[in-house]
Amino acid sequence: MRGPLAKSAVVAPALVSTGLAALSDRPPRAHAQRAADGNTLWYDEPATDWESRALPIGNGALGAMVFGGVTSEQVQFNEKSLWTGGPGAAGGYDSGNWTSPRPGALDEVVDAIDRNGSADPSWVAGRLGQPKTGFGAYQTFGDLRLDMAGHGAAHSGYRRELDIGDATAKVSYTVNGVAHSREYFASHPDGVVVGRLAANRPGRVSFTLRHTSPRGDSTTTASGGRLTIRGALADNGMVFEAQVQVVTDGGTVTGDGSSITVSGANSAMFVLSAGTDYADTYPTCRGSDPSARVKSRVDSAAAKSFATLRANHTADHRALFDRVRLDIGQVMPDKPTDDLRAAYTGGSSPDDRALEALFYQYGRYLLIASSRTGSLPANLQGVWNNSTSPPWSADYHTNINLQMNYWLAAQANLGETVEPFVRFVEALKAPGQVTAAGMFGTAGWVVHNETNPFGFTGVHDWATAFWFPEANGWLASQVYDLATFTRDPALLNRAYALLKGASEFWLANLRADPRDGRPVVTPSYSPEHGPFTAGGAMAQQIVWGLFTDTIAAANALGVDSDFRSRVRAGLDAMDPGLRVDGGGRLREWKSDGITGEPRHRHVSHLYALHPGRQIAAGTAFGEAAKATLLDRGDGGTGWSKAWKINFWARLLDGDHAHRVLAEQLKSSTLANLFDTHPPFQIDGNFGATAGMTEMLVQSQNGDVHVLPAKPGAWAGGSVTGLKARGDVTVDASWTAAGGVDFTVTPAGSGNLTVRSGIFAGRYALIDTATGQPVAGTRVGDRVTFAATAGRTYRATGTVRPAGPASRAAAGRSSTCHPGPVSPPAPPSR
C-alpha cells in the first residue's frame, strides 16, 4: 500500500522570496492505513517449540504463550512477580552488598589503575565482587493443558494466528467434519487471561482442563468448575495462587479433584488470573496473600460474557496500539509468517516491506503486552518465561537491556507503558542508598550491572559483568528523557529526585585523574570486555549526561540553586569522555594502547550518540562515531544489531540503518518474530522498533526532525501518530520523487523548531486551523515559529538531492518572524 503522496508529484514553486511554496497543488494530508492482515502473524501448523514458535499474549502482569495443539492444547502462563530469591531465600539475601567490611578495597583498585593504567577484571572482581546470594530467578507459573476429547491427529484447514491489532490469538481447524476454533487474549482492564473454545455444530466442545508445573510446590483443586492452584516457592516462601473458572454454553462440567472436564458443550470459556504476595516495598518485598485479589478478578470476569470481556480488552488495547500506523509500501502476502521471515532478503519487494512493518508494530504490541501500570517492568523476556532457571534469570540488566526495553515507549506513542519502569527505578533508590553508603561510603544511590525485583543494587563476581555503578545515571536520565516527551510536571519531579540522588553519588565519587587532573569515574569498565581503567568513555558520557539532565531539570522546576551550582561545577570540570584515536574512531578507553574485542557486541563508547545526545551527525565526533561503527561491523547479537539501527539513524544514514535491520530480521529473529540473542531476549524487538522510529522522527537535539533517516528502500509511504519531545505529535507522508507532507501538533504553546530537507528549498508551512501561512525563521533545513497548543501545522515540499547550490541555499536564513529558538525539551549543554 502506497502513501497518499504517491498521487501527487511535487509542490508547485511560488513565494520563492520567503522560501514558501504555494498550497494550491499541495499533496494531501499525511495519512497511513493498515494493509489487509498486515498486523497478523499466522502459521499453518501448531507450535512445537516455546521459544521460537508459540505466540505471546499479555496484560502487563500476566503473560501466556499459545501453542495451538490439536489433540492437546498448551497455554503456558506467567505472573511477573513470581520470583525465587530475595528476602527469605534459602541461604540468605544480601542485595549484593558486601557481607563484611572491606576497608581500602576500592582505593586499592583505584591505586592499581593509577599506577599501571589498567587492571585485570578477574583481579578487580576478587577485590570488589562476591558470589551472588539469593538473587533468584523469574519462574514459570506452569501450563494449562486442554486435552480435546475425540480429536485424533488427523485434521485439515489448520491456522494459528496472533492479531497484534486486536491482541488476540486464534486457532482453527477441522476434525471429523467439525470446524473447531479457539480464541485467547490477556485483558488489562479485567486482569485475566481469557480463552474460548467453540465449534460449528452444537454439543461438540469437549475437553479436560488441567495444570502442570515443573515445580512440585503447589496443589491443584477443582470445585464448581474452577481450578485453584496454590503454593509457596520452596526457595523463599513466596505465596502464589492462580484460579481458572470454566463457563459453558450447554453441556456438563465436572471435576475430579485436580482437573475439570467439559462434555458436549456448544462453547466454553475459561478465565484465569494469578498473583503472589510480592510487593515492591523495600526491604521486606512482601504484601498481602494474593487469594482474595485473584478470586475477585476471576469472579468478576466470569460473570461477564465473552463478548463483553473481548470488547473491554480490544478497546483498551486499540486505544494504545492504533495511535501509530505505518505504511512503507508493504503488501502482506498470503504466506505463513515463518515462511515470510525465511524468504526475507531486505530487498525491494512488498513482501519484505510487509515483514518490516509487521516487525515494527510487533515491538509496540509486545511492550503493551508486557508493561502496564500495576506490574513490574518488562524484563529480559518481557513477561514470558517457561523455565525455572531462565537465561540470565530473565532479570533486569542495567548495562543496556532494561533501558533498551523502554527506548520506544514515548516516541512510539505508548507513554502509558512507562509507569512500571519509572516505579521500578524509584524502588531502587532506597536499597541503592544502602549500597552507596556501605560500598562507597557516600550519600546518593547506586545500582550496578543487574538487578531483580528485590532491590539488588550491589555486586556479584562475574568479572566482565559485575561493576557498573554509572547505571544509576543512565536510569535517572532515561526517566528524565521520558518526562521531556510528556512535559508532565509530576513525572519531572519524580525524575529530578532520581537525578539528584545519582548526582550526589557522583559528585562524591568522581576522582582526579593523575594524568590530567580531570574528574573521572574510576574504576570504570566498558561492558563487557577489556580491562578496568579510569575514565572509560561510556562511564564519562553517562555521568556527563546525568549532570546535564540534573541541571536542566532543576532549572525547569526552579529548585536547588546551590546544588545546581555544585553540579554545574562538576560538569565543567569533568572529562566528557570524547576522544578520537589515530584511526579517526572514538576511543573506548581514555588511554592509547588499550584494546578489547574488535567486533564486540557492545559499542558502549557510542552512548553519547545514542541514547545520549552529546554527539550529533555531521560533527567531528559524529564522523568518529561513524568510523567506529564501520570498524565494529554490522554483526552482533539481536539486541546489538537493534542498537546499531539506532546509531545509524542518529547519524542520519537511513540506508545503513535499514541494512542492519535487514540483518537482524534475517539472522537474529525467530519464526514467531521474537528477537534472539541467542537465546530469546526481548530487548532486540524493542530496540529495533525504537530504531525504526528514529529513522522517521528524532527530537533529541531540541528540534523536531521529520524523516531524518528514511531509507531508500522505503521509497513511498506514510506514518501517523509518532511523538517528539515536548509532547509534539508527528504525521508524515513521502513519495519516491522526494515529495514530503508532514504535520506537527504540539500540546503546549511556545517556539517550535522543525527540521526537514524540504526547508532547504521551496516549501509551504500553514496553520491548518486558519489555512494561512505561518511566519517563521529559517536557518538551513530548520524553521522556528511560534506554535499554539493543540494547533496542527502542516509543511509540504520536496527534498532534492544535495549539491553545492542546495547546500549553499540551506545555509542562508529567511526571516519572516524573528525570534529565539525555544526547543520543546531542555537543550543539552
Side-chain angles (χ1 to χ4, degrees), residues 48 100 137 257 337 416 446 488 586 606 657 687 777 805:
T48 55
S100 60
T337 302
E416 291 83 350
V446 71
D488 175 11
L586 281 172
L606 266 59
T777 301

Side-chain angles (χ1 to χ4, degrees), residues 648-714:
W648 283 111
R650 286 280 176 97
L651 290 171
L652 310 184
D653 190 337
D655 289 336
H656 205 133
H658 183 264
R659 188 187 314 163
V660 181
L661 170 65
E663 290 304 311
Q664 184 174 9
L665 284 167
K666 286 188 286 187
S667 60
S668 298
T669 302
L670 300 170
N672 60 1
L673 302 192
F674 271 169
D675 169 77
T676 180
H677 177 73
F680 162 50
Q681 267 189 215
I682 204 166
D683 43 17
N685 289 102
F686 295 145
T689 295
M692 294 170 78
T693 307
E694 293 272 349
M695 294 157 76
L696 298 167
V697 174
Q698 294 180 26
S699 59
Q700 71 278 3
N701 292 321
D703 50 38
V704 179
H705 195 176
V706 182
L707 305 182
K710 183 193 70 65
W714 299 352

Side-chain angles (χ1 to χ4, degrees), residues 179-193:
H180 292 268
S181 62
R182 304 180 212 138
E183 192 168 351
Y184 307 93
F185 57 85
S187 169
H188 178 66
D190 284 295
V192 291
V193 172

Side-chain angles (χ1 to χ4, degrees), residues 240-274:
F240 59 88
E241 183 164 321
Q243 296 184 22
V244 190
Q245 180 68 50
V246 176
V247 181
T248 65
D249 172 21
T252 61
V253 180
T254 58
D256 68 354
S258 60
S259 64
I260 293 172
T261 297
V262 172
S263 301
N266 303 319
S267 65
M269 175 181 76
F270 69 80
V271 294
L272 174 152
S273 190

